[in-house]
Amino acid sequence: MFRKAEERAFKDYLRIFGPAAFFTVLGFIVAYQFVQPAPPKKVVIATGMKEGAYYAYGKSYSEILARDGIMLEVLSTAGSVENIKLLEAETGGVDVAFLQGGTGSLATADDLESLGSLYLEPLWIFCRAHLSVKQISDLKGKRIAVGREGSGTRVLSMQLLEVNGLTSAPNLLVPEGGNKAAKMLLEGRVGAAFFVTSHHSSVVKMLLGSEKVRLLSLDRAEAYTTRYRFLKKVRLPEGVIDFEKNIPSRDLTLLAPAAQLVARKGFHPALIDLLLQAAEGTHGPGGLFEEPDEFPSTKYLDFPLNKEARRFYESGPPFLRRHLPFWAATLVDRLKIMLLPLLVLLLPFFKLMPLVYRWRVRSRIYRWYSELEGVDPRIQKDDSGGRVEEYLAKLDRIEDKVTKVPIPLSYSKELYDLRLHIEMLRNELRKTGEKNTFPEEKEQP
């Protein structure tokens, strides 16, 4: 009997807990559809020429991300214009790129987002020392190296030359930049050259130390920053490059766009946090033109700020990222949506199901008490004394059925209590029958 009872108990468990488990598993499957994919292990970043700052910073980022198991492939390019094309490419493109401020107008797609500006890149306009040039408009009729095709230097140069009316003849614009443009300037093959790069650049240091060329100070810097909001007016203090040689020999005013980090829409949020932490560690201390903690920043952007990046700037790295390794924080963050079926389905179901199961098992026992009421002489109002044999027979049938009720061992106490109550009722019926068979004689007066 007990074996059958245990088999019946197992079936009861399946009937009650089975649907609850099914709907819970279904809830987990549905919730999993909304779980964000794991961040890719490899990311490609477009930088610039290998001798430039973009490439150097890309290598620095790569080393930082490698600590968390992310491979950042640093791709050398011609500059910002090419980087925009790579970001917009449907295949064979890049995930993220450095862009120079002011180049965003060249983008043709609307699926690029900025992760923030990183540091200021001064515009260095060098001209031959003997030329009488005080401002950009004085370069009229001169050969000017405006930067390579595809570079941010060329974009900014053309904007400033155009506003000064110098983009057509008799000027000859030479599409060269970097070391080659510097060499042409020193040899006198061009009268001026534009460079957008860090003051750490070997080209800038070489030209500042040469007596053949001089750096142009932009007296109308305020006007340029009013026209072009992505530019900032900066000051190059006297002697700051070389105190011993007093380079530069006087304070100079320069213009500086901000380098920014741009990604495609849909770039993994976890990698955004990781890249911005790398940027914070790299650019946060500041520099010659940046105050400490001024960058990375939400200013000087050409594209809409990514919402995950905005959250980073407002509240810093996520809580999990501050206290867990990257892989663990990412895993927990991705699976947090799985708490929904756990809280909404699993916990309520498995809190309620034991109660349902207990009620179901006990109902097999308690329903017999209504049968017992039908043969209880204290409840029945008819002549129970004359029906004692009928009630006893019915009670025997009830007991016979009760002994066959499959009950798990953990509920056997309730079953034995029922059988005890049957026996008590049987004794009560027998007493009632004896009173009817041997009535007490009345006392004689």
Side-chain angles (χ1 to χ4, degrees):
M1 180 180 115
F2 287 117
R3 183 176 179 180
K4 290 183 178 180
E6 291 303 316
E7 292 177 354
R8 179 66 179 271
F10 178 72
K11 292 179 180 179
D12 286 338
Y13 270 109
L14 287 181
R15 289 193 188 99
I16 295 174
F17 288 91
F22 171 77
F23 284 110
T24 301
V25 171
L26 183 63
F28 276 107
I29 293 174
V30 172
Y32 189 75
Q33 306 308 309
F34 298 92
V35 173
Q36 194 171 52
K41 293 294 185 181
K42 179 182 177 181
V43 180
V44 182
I45 183 170
T47 57
M49 294 181 292
K50 290 188 176 181
E51 64 267 24
Y54 286 176
Y55 189 83
Y57 284 130
K59 285 294 186 181
S60 176
Y61 285 16
S62 177
E63 293 175 4
I64 295 174
L65 266 62
R67 301 170 191 166
D68 289 303
I70 303 299
M71 177 184 175
L72 182 64
E73 181 181 335
V74 182
L75 181 65
S76 176
T77 68
S80 296
V81 177
E82 183 181 350
N83 291 355
I84 290 176
K85 293 179 180 178
L86 288 170
L87 283 172
E88 294 179 333
E90 294 184 3
T91 58
V94 297
D95 304 294
V96 64
F98 290 111
L99 296 183
Q100 178 187 297
T103 59
S105 59
L106 302 177
T108 58
D110 58 357
D111 62 344
L112 301 184
E113 296 179 326
S114 179
L115 306 186
S117 55
L118 306 174
Y119 62 95
L120 296 173
E121 296 182 290
L123 169 65
W124 311 84
I125 304 177
F126 288 94
C127 62
R128 297 288 294 178
H130 66 276
L131 295 178
S132 179
V133 176
K134 293 184 178 180
Q135 52 193 16
I136 296 176
S137 58
D138 294 335
L139 292 173
K140 187 174 182 179
K142 308 294 189 296
R143 286 169 57 87
I144 306 170
V146 293
R148 288 182 182 179
E149 290 283 355
S151 68
T153 299
R154 183 177 179 83
V155 174
L156 180 57
S157 300
M158 296 303 291
Q159 287 175 316
L160 298 183
L161 290 173
E162 182 179 9
V163 79
N164 282 279
L166 302 180
T167 54
S168 59
N171 287 81
L172 179 60
L173 306 181
V174 181
E176 293 293 347
N179 289 320
K180 190 169 183 179
K183 183 179 179 181
M184 293 177 70
L185 181 63
L186 291 173
E187 293 175 353
R189 288 188 283 160
V190 294
F194 287 63
F195 305 90
V196 178
T197 186
S198 165
H199 66 284
H200 294 298
S201 169
S202 59
V203 170
V204 170
K205 290 181 178 179
M206 176 180 65
L207 293 177
L208 284 173
S210 174
E211 296 181 354
K212 296 180 181 180
V213 299
R214 62 184 176 86
L215 180 62
L216 185 63
S217 181
L218 299 176
D219 297 333
R220 296 193 295 178
E222 291 285 355
Y224 290 117
T225 57
T226 301
R227 174 69 69 91
Y228 303 107
R229 297 294 183 180
F230 58 87
L231 293 175
K232 183 178 180 180
K233 175 184 174 181
V234 296
R235 187 174 68 91
L236 185 66
E238 179 182 347
V240 72
I241 301 297
D242 192 318
F243 279 86
E244 183 180 353
K245 297 179 181 178
N246 194 34
I247 300 175
S249 59
R250 62 188 180 91
D251 288 355
L252 298 173
T253 301
L254 307 179
L255 291 173
Q260 55 189 315
L261 199 58
V262 178
R264 298 180 181 183
K265 277 185 180 178
F267 190 59
H268 202 287
L271 294 179
I272 291 175
D273 289 328
L274 208 58
L275 278 170
L276 288 179
Q277 284 183 287
E280 203 172 52
T282 303
H283 310 291
L288 180 59
F289 302 105
E290 304 91 4
E291 294 293 329
D293 299 322
E294 182 182 1
F295 290 95
S297 170
T298 58
K299 297 180 180 179
Y300 318 115
L301 304 181
D302 287 339
F303 300 94
L305 183 64
N306 175 277
K307 64 178 183 179
E308 291 296 329
R310 184 181 300 280
R311 179 199 51 73
F312 181 92
Y313 289 113
E314 291 174 352
S315 56
F319 174 81
L320 294 174
R321 186 70 184 93
R322 292 197 295 265
H323 298 87
L324 293 175
F326 175 73
W327 68 268
T330 303
L331 179 63
V332 173
D333 187 62
R334 289 175 55 232
L335 297 182
K336 64 185 178 184
I337 194 172
M338 302 299 286
L339 292 175
L340 186 63
L342 177 68
L343 298 176
V344 175
L345 295 174
L346 186 62
L347 294 182
F349 269 149
F350 283 86
K351 187 176 182 181
L352 178 63
M353 290 305 103
L355 299 178
V356 175
Y357 176 76
R358 183 168 58 187
W359 171 83
R360 182 179 177 86
V361 172
R362 288 181 172 179
S363 67
R364 297 191 199 129
I365 299 173
Y366 295 152
R367 71 184 184 86
W368 291 104
Y369 281 97
S370 62
E371 298 285 337
L372 296 185
E373 290 180 354
V375 296
D376 192 334
R378 292 170 298 182
I379 296 177
Q380 301 302 319
K381 302 301 182 182
D382 57 0
D383 183 14
S384 58
R387 303 180 64 184
V388 169
E389 293 300 326
E390 177 187 346
Y391 286 169
L392 285 172
K394 189 174 182 180
L395 200 60
D396 290 340
R397 289 195 297 272
I398 292 173
E399 184 176 27
D400 181 61
K401 292 180 180 179
V402 166
T403 56
K404 298 176 181 178
V405 174
I407 296 294
L409 289 175
S410 57
Y411 291 88
S412 58
K413 179 180 182 301
E414 283 86 347
L415 182 63
Y416 282 110
D417 285 343
L418 173 59
R419 297 181 66 181
L420 179 62
H421 292 155
I422 291 174
E423 185 62 29
M424 290 172 61
L425 185 55
R426 180 182 284 113
N427 293 335
E428 186 72 23
L429 285 171
R430 286 172 179 168
K431 289 180 182 179
T432 300
E434 289 175 358
K435 288 181 180 180
N436 288 318
T437 304
F438 304 105
E440 294 182 3
E441 296 181 357
K442 295 184 180 179
E443 291 184 2
Q444 298 295 326

